[in-house]
Amino acid sequence: MKGVNKTNNINSKTIGHAREAADNKGIVNATEATKNKTAVVKSNKIEYKNQTKSSGVTSSSKRKLDNFVNQALDAHNRFRQLHEVTPLVLDSQLSTQAQEYADRLAKKGLLEHDKKMDDGENLAMKCIGPQENDPTGAFFTTLWYQEVCNPGYDFTKPKFSESTGHFTQLAWKNTDKLGIGRAFKNEGGIKCEYVVARYRPAGNFLNEFNENVWQGSYDKSICDNIVGSKKHFTPRYTKHKSRAAKFKGLVL
């Protein structure tokens, strides 16, 4: 996550990654791309409508990205519903910016937060072998959310923690817009997926956790149904200065 308001916000950022893909069945249903339809951005998600012959055909890669974005949006809102806060709306500007930054990260082959913008930000990266399927938008959203389970967030003492900052940004009540981007980098037969989530307004403000991070209907039994909540490692944020240090400890 990333906060950038110097007056009151925690200027802290965290990098997340997965050790292995989780089965997200039951978390969200991905939008199915249908033949001879084109994607359009609606108020809260990317949907499809019938197109004319002159408008062209949406590319396979674009449809896959749209499905990924919808999966991430749906998973965010299912988790936010548990905490009784309003659903996020997909914002086209935020998604464009998130996609541009994901492309930059993939080109560099590393994770680092964007210091030149004022939105909240969650990052994640996952590398897979040639026989594995690309992780879904729900997978990465679950990776961020599962911090509420492991190491766990104490709702009786609401405050910022480096180990739960992804979760608190995802569930932040005052945030109402979401943007998602993803990009790939292939090296030596290994494909790595870089994911950027942008949030507006940003969360994780000092002295505002009590008003913005609600327990709602969440209880620890929910963690038993979150696949991978005890299997994945999300490193805590540290301010590294070198590229090598950024990858130290990561299982790629």
Side-chain angles (χ1 to χ4, degrees), residues 154-183:
D154 187 351
F155 292 95
T156 66
K157 299 177 181 178
K159 62 181 180 178
F160 173 77
S161 170
E162 293 178 346
S163 59
T164 57
H166 294 101
F167 156 69
T168 51
Q169 171 60 88
L170 187 157
W172 196 260
K173 175 181 176 289
N174 195 44
T175 297
D176 56 23
K177 294 182 177 64
L178 174 69
I180 296 288
R182 84 165 168 176

Side-chain angles (χ1 to χ4, degrees), residues 201-216:
N204 287 343
F205 278 81
L206 284 170
N207 303 318
E208 296 185 16
F209 282 77
N210 187 51
E211 309 101 77
N212 283 283
V213 184
W214 297 357
Q215 182 169 353

Side-chain angles (χ1 to χ4, degrees), residues 23-36:
D23 176 11
N24 292 294
K25 184 177 181 181
I27 297 177
V28 299
N29 293 319
T31 302
E32 295 184 1
T34 307
K35 187 177 181 181
N36 292 330

Side-chain angles (χ1 to χ4, degrees), residues 178-198:
L178 174 69
I180 296 288
R182 84 165 168 176
F184 297 94
K185 183 180 181 67
N186 289 284
E187 267 188 276
I190 301 297
K191 181 167 70 171
C192 294
E193 184 173 356
Y194 294 79
V195 177
V196 176
R198 292 278 174 89

